[in-house]
Amino acid sequence: GNTSTGGAEVSVPYYFNIAPNLDFTFDPTEYSRRGADVGGDFRYLTQRQHGELDWDYLPDDAVYHGERSRVKLTNVTELPDNFRLTLDGENVSDTSYFEDFSTGPEGTSTPFLDRRAVLSYRDLHWNIQGMAQQFQTIDSTLPLDERPYARVPDLTVSADYGWGPGELL
């Protein structure tokens, strides 16, 4: 590839099938104007857990004059007794990261990044969910009153029981 800010871009991904339930893609990229970027994508799937860790790290961006990075984690863990822990979060080193490195409008149009942890319980009748959520604001032009707020803690409880003859209602 080639961009006006990064220059020529060459990427050579290496895929490693570590095990039937584990794989890793190492994706080093060289930008003619920015320097070397090391990135990777690690995926895993076990009986009680699945997720993905995706990252990029540019130790010395010659245009930005500093290090740049992005990391994204998604993880779902099935805990004992109908509990589940879900982690989902992303972080970038600076507010210009997506403008400099995205390849489409979905990246450059990102105003903020969501980070959340959810602990939930579900059985035949009950659904209980506790969540902590925070955001990294990417678009620094967003007025303070339009930026998303953190939710710590957020607790939701719902129950589903029948009522009446034959519990039909």
Side-chain angles (χ1 to χ4, degrees), residues 9-160:
E9 172 187 337
V10 176
S11 179
V12 181
Y14 298 92
Y15 177 76
F16 300 94
N17 189 10
I18 301 168
N21 61 336
L22 297 170
D23 67 5
F24 173 62
T25 303
F26 177 60
D27 192 13
T29 303
E30 177 67 34
Y31 297 94
S32 64
R33 292 190 183 148
R34 294 187 179 276
D37 179 326
V38 289
D41 185 26
F42 176 71
R43 300 182 304 172
Y44 51 95
L45 174 64
T46 67
Q47 188 175 12
R48 300 183 76 78
Q49 186 174 8
H50 65 275
E52 182 174 4
L53 178 63
D54 186 23
W55 76 91
D56 287 286
Y57 178 66
L58 186 63
D60 185 23
D61 185 333
V63 175
Y64 183 77
H65 304 295
E67 66 180 337
R68 313 287 294 277
S69 62
R70 179 193 60 82
V71 63
K72 180 176 176 129
L73 171 69
T74 56
N75 180 76
V76 177
T77 304
E78 301 296 336
L79 301 169
D81 301 320
N82 296 324
F83 283 92
R84 173 185 282 178
L85 176 64
T86 304
L87 302 172
D88 191 2
E90 187 170 9
N91 187 73
V92 292
S93 58
D94 57 88
T95 58
S96 301
Y97 187 88
F98 287 119
E99 290 178 21
D100 292 344
F101 294 104
S102 84
T103 57
E106 67 282 347
T108 57
S109 303
T110 303
F112 54 85
L113 297 175
D114 185 14
R115 303 166 179 164
R116 70 176 68 202
V118 179
L119 180 62
S120 59
Y121 170 81
R122 184 176 202 137
D123 68 11
L124 184 61
H125 299 290
W126 290 96
N127 186 4
I128 303 169
Q129 178 175 294
M131 177 175 62
Q133 183 179 30
Q134 193 264 341
F135 300 89
Q136 178 185 10
T137 301
I138 304 300
D139 184 356
S140 57
T141 64
L142 278 176
L144 289 176
D145 63 338
E146 292 182 17
R147 294 181 183 194
Y149 57 89
R151 293 191 295 179
V152 179
D154 179 69
L155 183 63
T156 305
V157 178
S158 63
D160 182 17

